[in-house]
Amino acid sequence: MSPTSPSAQAPLLRGRLLAFAAILLAAVNLRTAVTSLTPLLDRLGELFAFGSTMTGVLGMLPTAAFAVFGLLTPWLTRRIGLERTALLAMGLATAGLLLRSSAGGVGMLLFGSVIALGGMGIGNVVVPPLVKRYFANRVGTLSTLYIAVLQAGTMLPALLAVPVADASNWRVSLGMWALLSLAAMLPWALLSRHAARTAPAQPTDAAPHPVGKVWRTPLGWGLALMFGMTSLITYSMFTWLPRLMVEAGATPAFGGVAVATFSAFGLVPSLIMPALAVRMRNPFPLVIFAFAMNLTAFAGLLYAPMAAPLLWATLLGLGPSTFPLALTLINLRTRTPAGSAALSGFMQGVGYSFACLGPVLFGWLHGRSGAWHLPFAFLTVCAVVLLTASWFACRPQQLEDHW
């Protein structure tokens, strides 16, 4: 059975067990470099003598690396293929995590982070077209699984970072995740060898399959803004929700509980949205639901933060339902793995570029006004942009028809 044209009736794993394991192992590694570091930043700041500026730089690195490497990945996939690109992503993640855990100063900490996050940025983009290549008849099922695994790989390092550092040291806490990305390299190495052996011979004078410019399509910009505004709102709240809770009268520990609640309820849409999206011709009603959750949470946090703080955090966690929806639409709105790779790279590259600005602008507006009204007005505008862009992204269409 060809990976690019599986039988519509084929069981999920028949002939695809290795690809199934490889995709899920890649997915669990796509955020470990982010959330294993942030709980240790205060400790590392004291050790390496850096202050809030460097902390801000380290906080911005994930979205910046995801943006840059996201835009480069479609070029990589055309040059070396999807499987080898995934192998490269896991190799870079492993090398970067090991370099970072061996850092003797802030320079190596930064360098290792860039390498690891670069690998994860490549992985972000290459996983959706790999789902389309090997599981075109089970896009909803595989999207649900890999996005849920991605979310688990986001939460687990954050939960273990401090306890492991306390029990051993910070190097073990940061470096142990390299074992997971190293494990992911094995199935991708095997799939890369198999893909190289089974690839059809191409005449030397054959014209490559045409790939159009995604940035010239309303679908491309719709998905990029949908994904970008979702990420901007999410990263802004991850950064500033603890501070908001403390200023409202909560303890710092309760601020952490609010962030944990926000993160935990973000797993719910990952389990539901892909399955719903594949059953709907136009999933725009799902975006309206997410928009309503965001606005309700913003209003609660602004006007009555301590009246029901965990309710606001819960609604805030349901707001980014458009994150798994956007990842699922990459495959629902393309016909080929090449189209999926091009759309994934553009969506995530441009989207994460917007996300870089969120925490900075939110904090700047708070600093200028001394209150939270302007920051939440900014997020409300972003939510309206998200809703508008999603109208174009959700319409039934195929990217290749625009080329």
Side-chain angles (χ1 to χ4, degrees):
M1 179 174 57
S2 168
T4 56
S5 57
S7 166
Q9 302 300 320
L12 178 64
L13 297 181
R14 181 182 293 172
R16 299 180 285 187
L17 181 59
L18 185 62
F20 180 82
I23 287 169
L24 294 191
L25 277 170
V28 79
N29 281 288
L30 296 182
R31 294 293 183 275
T32 55
V34 181
T35 55
S36 64
L37 178 65
T38 49
L40 301 175
L41 281 176
D42 287 344
R43 188 175 308 198
L44 293 172
E46 293 177 6
L47 180 66
F48 294 136
F50 63 78
S52 57
T53 300
M54 184 54 63
T55 299
V57 170
L58 287 165
M60 282 186 64
L61 268 184
T63 49
F66 291 168
V68 172
F69 286 89
L71 291 170
L72 291 175
T73 303
W75 175 83
L76 264 178
T77 62
R78 291 195 295 270
R79 293 296 298 267
I80 64 175
L82 291 170
E83 291 82 3
R84 288 177 180 171
T85 302
L87 177 61
L88 174 64
M90 295 299 100
L92 288 173
T94 303
L97 288 167
L98 290 174
L99 282 171
R100 193 167 72 175
S101 67
S102 64
V106 70
M108 184 57 71
L109 192 69
L110 277 170
F111 180 69
S113 294
V114 169
I115 299 299
L117 292 167
M120 293 174 193
I122 293 170
N124 286 337
V125 173
V126 80
V127 168
L130 282 162
V131 169
K132 191 163 193 74
R133 178 178 177 86
Y134 287 96
F135 297 93
N137 65 325
R138 297 295 185 93
V139 165
T141 302
L142 257 292
S143 296
T144 298
L145 287 172
Y146 99 74
I147 296 169
V149 168
L150 186 156
Q151 294 282 20
T154 303
M155 294 168 59
L156 196 59
L159 291 173
L160 295 180
V162 173
V164 172
D166 289 341
S168 53
N169 57 63
W170 66 268
R171 296 186 189 277
V172 173
S173 183
L174 290 181
M176 65 183 184
W177 303 104
L179 296 174
L180 199 55
S181 54
L182 183 64
M185 291 179 68
L186 178 59
W188 285 117
L190 294 173
L191 280 173
S192 298
R193 291 180 61 188
H194 178 72
R197 288 198 307 268
T198 58
Q202 296 289 339
T204 55
D205 58 346
H209 182 77
V211 176
K213 293 178 172 60
V214 180
W215 63 270
R216 291 183 175 177
T217 67
L219 171 62
W221 280 105
L223 266 178
L225 287 171
M226 176 184 177
F227 185 85
M229 294 301 104
T230 301
S231 300
L232 184 153
I233 292 168
T234 302
Y235 279 90
S236 296
M237 287 291 91
F238 268 131
T239 304
W240 290 100
L241 185 58
R243 171 80 171 272
L244 189 152
M245 289 284 103
V246 169
E247 288 194 10
T251 65
F254 186 82
V257 170
V259 172
T261 304
F262 172 35
S263 303
F265 276 89
L267 185 60
V268 176
S270 300
L271 298 172
I272 297 173
M273 285 294 163
L276 291 177
V278 298
R279 288 169 170 78
M280 301 174 70
R281 186 169 180 268
N282 186 332
F284 187 67
L286 302 178
V287 181
I288 296 174
F289 165 80
F291 180 75
M293 295 299 100
N294 274 326
L295 289 195
T296 306
F298 295 166
L301 289 170
L302 179 60
Y303 295 111
M306 297 310 294
L310 294 184
L311 173 61
W312 311 140
T314 298
L315 297 179
L316 205 60
L318 297 175
S321 297
T322 41
F323 173 77
L325 178 59
L327 291 177
T328 306
L329 283 172
I330 291 170
N331 285 325
L332 295 181
R333 295 294 177 259
T334 55
R335 290 195 178 93
T336 63
S340 178
L343 185 57
S344 180
F346 181 78
M347 182 190 87
Q348 297 194 55
V350 173
Y352 279 121
S353 299
F354 285 116
C356 288
L357 303 175
V360 176
L361 287 177
F362 191 93
W364 180 76
L365 289 169
H366 177 59
R368 286 294 296 256
S369 64
W372 298 103
H373 293 80
L374 281 181
F376 277 111
F378 164 62
L379 290 193
T380 301
V381 170
C382 292
V384 171
V385 172
L386 189 162
L387 185 70
T388 306
S390 299
W391 173 260
F392 295 95
C394 291
R395 289 186 305 180
Q397 59 190 302
Q398 296 294 310
L399 176 69
E400 289 83 355
D401 293 340
H402 295 288
W403 287 350

